[in-house]
Amino acid sequence: MKNKIIEILLSNIGQPLSGETLSQQLGISRAAVWKHMKNLRSEGCNISAVNNRGYTLLSMPDSIHPEFFNALFSGRRQLHYFDNLLSTNDKAKELAKEGCPSGTLVIADTQTGGKGRLGRSWVSVPGKGVWMSIVLRPRMHPSQMHKITIIGALAAVQTITVLTGLPVKIKWPNDIMINGKKVCGILCEMSADMDEVDYLVMGIGLNANLDSEDFPEELKKIATSLKIESGCPVSRLELASSIANRVCEIMNFLEETGDFSSVVKEYKNYEITGRVRAFGSGRDVTGLAEGIDEDGALVLLTDKGDRLHIISGEISVRSIEGE
Ligand code: BT5
């Protein structure tokens, strides 16, 4: 019943709904409707009640609990919520191995062993960020999997732009930046044989409502949050559900049309170009990052004049400042 009420309120957000309409739609008395509204208010929903006009949902609480989440999560996909996990990516891989469907989402209020790429760690402050992983089963060749990181980054920047209007940028392939500081990172891990992908887990870590003092000293100069940049808190619920919905939308579009060029075109609105050093996998070069090509590879014009197309996830690309 609670889910149903939240769903109806959400689809009429900002619009008044009379007690009569709600009691008819839900098949309960007006007194019962009133009681549910009272409970939802005590859980942080901002609902106004005006005589003769009815109830209006003004805003949702900053809670990522499933009862709120499910109402926003399109396609009735599986949702696994945890107060605390080592890593949502690890949990998602476990579920994927057990056969969970594509689109399954794992979300945690905090992670104690959040992972970055190449063995690095990810700071996941309790109750202040979006720490989540999406299981995908793309019908794509394993050699194309780098495209999924591009899709994750695009879904994240599009959502952040719509919800906050902040000037968000992508540093290839997986760093989402605002004013030169990292606000979000993406970690894709896949299980595949030579020709086929079994599953891919896309982990997204987004600093939503962290304050400066929440970051450990070593991250203070290089990391930021949406709240720090915009000056006001953002709904983690809206961020998480919108990003997850957007990832699945773009994936469906790609699988139906095979048209990756539209994804690239959109991505290009946000990409950071400029001088970089690319290193790893036996390579160490400096040059000009020109942006991604039609396959999602980074085009790097090296100082020696070679034009490289980098797709390996084992290569790190760092901006070179002051040049
Ligand atoms: C990433 O790695 O940027 C991928 C981060 C993915 C995290 C998500 S959270 C949900 C899911 N479950 C997981 O266990 N992981 C995923 P990388 O490019 O390697 O960046 C890692 C580096 O970013 C660290 O070495 C720090 O310097 C920095 N860092 C760590 N925590 C940060 C944070 N909260 N905000 C900004 N930078 C951070």
Side-chain angles (χ1 to χ4, degrees):
M1 181 56 66
K2 188 170 166 188
N3 274 359
K4 185 91 190 114
I5 297 179
I6 294 172
E7 229 170 275
I8 296 176
L9 286 171
L10 270 172
S11 53
N12 291 280
I13 199 157
Q15 306 290 328
L17 283 166
S18 73
E20 187 60 39
T21 311
L22 283 165
S23 87
Q24 276 170 12
Q25 280 193 24
L26 298 161
I28 56 176
S29 69
R30 287 177 65 165
V33 170
W34 179 83
K35 211 165 167 190
H36 278 294
M37 293 300 161
K38 193 170 156 231
N39 288 342
L40 285 173
R41 280 206 195 103
S42 70
E43 288 174 25
C45 290
N46 184 357
I47 299 170
S48 80
V50 178
N51 276 347
N52 303 326
R53 295 201 68 206
Y55 302 98
T56 310
L57 176 66
L58 300 172
S59 65
M60 293 283 281
D62 185 38
S63 160
I64 49 170
H65 278 266
E67 55 207 6
F68 294 112
F69 210 107
N70 274 327
L72 287 179
F73 198 29
S74 63
R76 302 263 162 245
R77 294 188 295 271
Q78 271 190 26
L79 171 72
H80 298 261
Y81 168 81
F82 300 86
D83 285 333
N84 193 337
L85 270 183
L86 201 59
S87 153
T88 55
N89 263 35
D90 288 353
K91 188 69 194 176
K93 282 193 276 182
E94 231 176 272
L95 292 166
K97 278 181 206 145
E98 289 163 9
C100 74
S102 188
T104 297
L105 185 84
V106 178
I107 187 158
D109 203 45
T110 185
Q111 300 181 114
T112 45
K115 298 187 300 181
R117 295 182 311 147
L118 310 171
R120 294 189 281 255
S121 61
W122 185 259
V123 172
S124 316
V125 177
K128 295 214 170 178
V130 172
W131 326 124
M132 69 177 185
S133 302
I134 309 168
V135 176
L136 298 168
R137 298 191 185 275
R139 293 188 298 277
M140 287 162 79
H141 193 268
S143 64
Q144 300 296 299
M145 282 310 103
H146 62 280
K147 291 182 176 170
I148 310 286
T149 303
I150 299 281
I151 289 173
L154 179 60
V157 289
Q158 286 181 328
T159 304
I160 295 170
T161 305
V162 169
L163 294 182
T164 69
L166 286 166
V168 67
K169 297 267 172 215
I170 307 170
K171 188 151 88 55
W172 184 92
N174 72 326
D175 289 351
I176 313 292
M177 316 287 291
I178 301 179
N179 296 324
K181 290 181 169 181
K182 185 159 168 172
V183 71
C184 172
I186 294 167
L187 171 67
C188 288
E189 297 181 278
M190 131 177 116
S191 165
D193 60 25
M194 291 291 278
D195 309 307
E196 229 178 36
V197 177
D198 178 15
Y199 64 81
L200 180 138
V201 165
M202 180 193 286
I204 299 173
L206 169 58
N207 302 325
N209 294 326
L210 283 82
D211 297 297
S212 315
E213 56 272 21
D214 291 322
F215 288 104
E217 217 40 58
E218 69 276 13
L219 290 187
K220 281 195 164 77
K221 281 208 175 99
I222 56 168
T224 189
S225 76
L226 299 179
K227 185 180 171 200
I228 294 171
E229 296 299 323
S230 71
C232 51
V234 200
S235 157
R236 290 180 300 144
L237 180 71
E238 243 180 298
L239 281 169
S241 57
S242 306
I243 294 174
N245 289 338
R246 188 75 192 120
V247 166
C248 294
E249 241 170 60
I250 304 176
M251 286 300 298
N252 290 342
F253 167 81
L254 187 60
E255 289 191 342
E256 275 165 25
T257 64
D259 177 15
F260 189 65
S261 64
S262 303
V263 175
V264 169
K265 197 167 155 223
E266 278 296 313
Y267 182 100
K268 285 197 157 294
N269 292 326
Y270 301 95
E271 72 184 354
I272 297 174
T273 51
R275 286 202 44 84
V276 296
R277 174 179 162 225
F279 54 99
S281 291
R283 215 193 304 252
D284 192 343
V285 286
T286 52
L288 184 69
E290 297 181 322
I292 60 169
D293 66 11
E294 68 278 9
D295 272 329
L298 181 72
V299 182
L300 178 66
L301 177 62
T302 68
D303 292 342
K304 288 191 179 146
D306 302 320
R307 194 162 263 118
L308 306 176
H309 293 249
I310 302 174
I311 59 164
S312 168
E314 298 300 308
I315 289 192
S316 293
V317 175
R318 295 271 168 264
S319 304
I320 306 174
E321 284 166 25
E323 282 196 35

